[in-house]
Amino acid sequence: MKKLRNALLPLLGFAIVIAIWEIVGSRLGNSLFAPASSVLVQYIDMLREGTMLNELFTSLRQMLLGFVIACLVGMPMGIAMGRSKITDTMLRPWVSIFVVTSTAALVPILIMILGTGLTLRATVVFLAAVWYIVLTTYNGAKGVSPELLAVGHSFSANRHQIFWKIILPALYPYLITGARIGLIHAIRAMVMAEMFVIVGYGALINQAGMEINTSSLLALLLTLAIISLIANAILSQWGKNLAPWYEQQRQTL
Amino acid sequence: MPKKSIPLLWFSALSIVIGLAVWELCATQFSDFILPSPLSVFAQFLDPNFALRLAKAVSGSLIQLGIGFGLALAVAVPLGTLLGRSDTLYRMFNPTINAIYAIPPVALIPFLIIWFGLFLESRVALVFLMCFFDILVVIIAGSRDVRTSWIDVGRSFGGSRYYCLRHIVFPALTPFLFAALRVGSARAINGMITAELFFAAVNLGQLLKRSSQAFDASAALAVVMTVCLMGLLAQTIIMLLERRLLHWHIRRS
């Protein structure tokens, strides 16, 4: 009974929100806020037509380039900062400066240096995501339980073994969380950069706005929401497979 | 540990100096249009003409920042507490909130232009949207985190619902409130500069756009640095407030 209730409540919530959307939308009309029904019609049209998905996948590929580089740089950096006091004190001032720097403010300057091509978009995504990945990994690496390390030492594991067999597995949940937070920021940055230089998916959003066509605008936003929810779900499922003990630990706390 | 923290502080200072030196060295390799030296950026702040424009721009930007951030706090904190404290409401609306949270706020800009135009109202709206959901998510997580045993104690000593909310839930929520302030203020400042770049260019955004269009990279970097300093200042103020008000709460860091 309780399970059924818990499964039905989110659906009820969605239904309420969509009902409000429909009522408000039909009052305001297509030029201000398209109702859910006309967005659905538009959405199916846009899926058939294919431009939306094409642009989306091109944009996502470029975003992934920046995001993967951010992971490759951010994760080792976070681990180094978390495990070594000197690296921590040397790098932390820079990380705390860059993490509060708005990427949008950097875009005009980056355009001067990099132009408006692929490099710009990948760099913007990188800069938006990397600091969050560093900080999450850093917090995890700092919190690796000394007891685990002591067990390793007493079984006379060498530095190499301690890193690969103890520290790294203990960090899996944090690496995944860092990647999730980083990905949210990467997608935000991708859209921001594309709307700034008016290319790709961002250009589609801009165009829908210019034409005051809120049903296609909402359809484009819906796709973005779906994509980031799917990416998030994949990463968290991956995290559960990689570190099955973590979820249990959290539940018993 | 005052004995240990002094050398660590020196390391941080050393790191900043090394960073600036590397920047200076790199700057000699490039032309001033692309990468100006740190000295010429600092010189911008001393130029009274530029400093005056900068100060004016900052005070203009602070208006939309204040209104937007204030509104977001005023709505998100009560709403987040409500959603976090009521299990039914949480289950009903949390998936929807996550879906909306997944949409990059920048993608909503065409909407904001349609609804609010290009000036102050739309800038406030963007600042609001950029930080609203980040605050909401933290507050929801926080108010769900309040231990039921504490509330049970309050109830068994005859405290009313309101009494428990006022004297148990709110104090337990304050560390999360500060977390929300930290995340929210960084996002709000991000929203402030993004708004000025994407809507009609005014204040700091205008200064940044004009300087980069005139290929005056040192002025553009000076603006970016100002935004960055605003972020750091906000974080520091919040941290000091937290230390003063929450000395009873040991922050895990």
Side-chain angles (χ1 to χ4, degrees):
Chain A
M1 193 59 208
K2 186 138 197 204
K3 259 194 177 155
L4 186 72
R5 181 174 164 267
N6 287 350
L8 282 179
L9 278 177
L11 293 179
L12 184 65
F14 272 123
I16 291 175
V17 172
I18 290 174
I20 293 175
W21 177 6
E22 181 67 37
I23 293 167
V24 172
S26 49
R27 282 271 167 82
L28 291 177
N30 197 32
S31 55
L32 279 178
F33 192 67
S37 50
S38 67
V39 173
L40 186 70
V41 174
Q42 178 79 22
Y43 197 69
I44 294 168
D45 267 4
M46 284 164 86
L47 281 181
R48 276 220 196 101
E49 200 235 345
T51 327
M52 176 173 74
L53 288 185
N54 268 339
E55 290 288 359
L56 179 70
F57 287 126
T58 328
S59 297
L60 283 181
R61 264 204 301 276
Q62 296 176 345
M63 187 272 294
L64 274 180
L65 177 68
F67 174 67
V68 168
I69 299 175
C71 285
L72 290 179
V73 174
M75 287 172 177
M77 194 168 149
I79 297 177
M81 279 170 64
R83 299 310 310 166
S84 137
K85 201 127 213 182
I86 299 222
T87 329
D88 183 10
T89 39
M90 294 293 267
L91 290 180
R92 208 164 38 166
W94 292 102
V95 174
S96 39
I97 288 173
F98 279 111
V99 81
V100 296
T101 307
S102 131
T103 5
L106 290 173
V107 174
I109 292 175
L110 289 174
I111 290 177
M112 292 200 298
I113 304 175
L114 304 168
T116 57
L118 168 67
T119 350
L120 172 79
R121 278 171 272 165
T123 313
V124 170
V125 168
F126 170 81
L127 286 175
V130 70
W131 312 111
Y132 291 93
I133 298 173
V134 169
L135 281 177
T136 317
T137 318
Y138 165 75
N139 281 326
K142 240 188 150 178
V144 174
S145 128
E147 291 149 38
L148 292 178
L149 298 178
V151 171
H153 280 300
S154 40
F155 279 95
S156 65
N158 58 31
R159 282 179 74 102
H160 188 78
Q161 283 169 321
I162 284 183
F163 179 77
W164 290 102
K165 301 237 159 109
I166 299 174
I167 294 179
L168 202 60
L171 283 180
Y172 285 157
Y174 292 92
L175 295 178
I176 296 287
T177 312
R180 276 168 63 182
I181 299 174
L183 192 64
I184 292 177
H185 286 272
I187 293 177
R188 284 175 177 171
M190 170 193 93
V191 174
M192 191 266 293
E194 288 185 344
M195 286 181 66
F196 205 97
V197 294
I198 314 187
V199 285
Y201 200 78
L204 290 183
I205 294 178
N206 251 348
Q207 198 190 346
M210 294 282 189
E211 291 166 358
I212 318 194
N213 183 353
T214 56
S215 56
S216 63
L217 189 55
L218 282 166
L220 290 164
L221 296 182
L222 197 62
T223 313
L224 276 181
I226 293 171
I227 286 293
S228 29
L229 287 178
I230 290 175
N232 210 348
I234 291 174
L235 278 176
S236 67
Q237 188 55 45
W238 193 26
K240 274 180 201 154
N241 292 345
L242 212 56
W245 64 87
Y246 185 67
E247 197 61 27
Q248 282 170 353
Q249 256 177 21
R250 267 209 333 202
Q251 272 164 9
T252 50
L253 272 177
Chain B
M1 300 196 299
K3 232 179 183 177
K4 219 178 165 191
S5 60
I6 290 166
L8 285 183
L9 197 69
W10 280 108
F11 265 115
S12 301
L14 181 70
S15 146
I16 297 277
V17 172
I18 292 175
L20 290 177
V22 171
W23 177 6
E24 177 76 49
L25 267 181
C26 289
T28 54
Q29 305 295 315
F30 290 100
S31 95
D32 251 15
F33 293 121
I34 296 175
L35 188 68
S37 83
L39 287 177
S40 71
V41 176
F42 290 131
Q44 288 284 340
F45 286 109
L46 297 178
D47 175 4
N49 201 354
F50 184 80
L52 192 70
R53 273 163 66 199
L54 194 66
K56 257 192 192 151
V58 169
S59 62
S61 297
L62 281 175
I63 293 173
Q64 83 237 24
L65 178 73
I67 301 177
F69 189 44
L71 279 177
L73 278 176
V75 181
V77 174
L79 190 64
T81 321
L82 181 70
L83 286 171
R85 290 314 302 159
S86 151
D87 198 50
T88 317
L89 284 179
Y90 172 78
R91 283 183 194 281
M92 259 164 86
F93 291 113
N94 197 48
T96 321
I97 288 172
N98 279 335
I100 301 175
Y101 182 54
I103 299 172
V106 181
L108 297 172
I109 284 176
F111 257 125
L112 299 181
I113 294 178
I114 294 172
W115 289 340
F116 300 108
L118 287 169
F119 299 100
L120 184 68
E121 295 88 340
S122 52
R123 293 201 301 272
V124 169
L126 186 69
V127 172
F128 176 87
L129 284 174
M130 287 276 255
C131 58
F132 175 74
F133 285 98
D134 292 79
I135 298 171
L136 187 67
V137 168
V138 176
I139 296 287
I140 290 178
S143 46
R144 279 176 67 76
D145 194 63
V146 179
R147 277 190 215 159
T148 22
S149 55
W150 294 347
I151 294 168
D152 288 344
V153 170
R155 300 285 284 176
S156 48
F157 277 95
S160 65
R161 252 190 116 88
Y162 170 76
Y163 185 89
C164 290
L165 196 69
R166 168 82 183 71
H167 291 277
I168 299 171
V169 175
F170 285 151
L173 204 60
T174 34
F176 286 91
L177 191 64
F178 275 100
L181 277 177
R182 276 199 304 272
V183 179
S185 64
R187 294 285 298 156
I189 289 171
N190 198 337
M192 171 196 87
I193 189 75
T194 312
E196 288 168 352
L197 290 169
F198 275 91
F199 300 117
V202 287
N203 302 336
L204 285 171
Q206 185 188 42
L207 206 53
L208 178 58
K209 250 190 177 165
R210 284 208 182 144
S211 328
S212 59
Q213 274 158 4
F215 285 96
D216 186 354
S218 56
L221 271 176
V223 175
V224 172
M225 231 179 231
T226 311
V227 176
C228 181
L229 284 177
M230 285 170 79
L232 284 177
L233 193 68
Q235 298 290 320
T236 318
I237 291 172
I238 293 165
M239 195 187 72
L240 290 178
L241 261 180
E242 189 180 11
R243 273 201 198 147
R244 234 190 126 90
L245 297 175
L246 289 185
H247 44 85
W248 49 270
H249 180 258
I250 306 146
R251 226 183 96 208
R252 267 191 337 129
S253 64

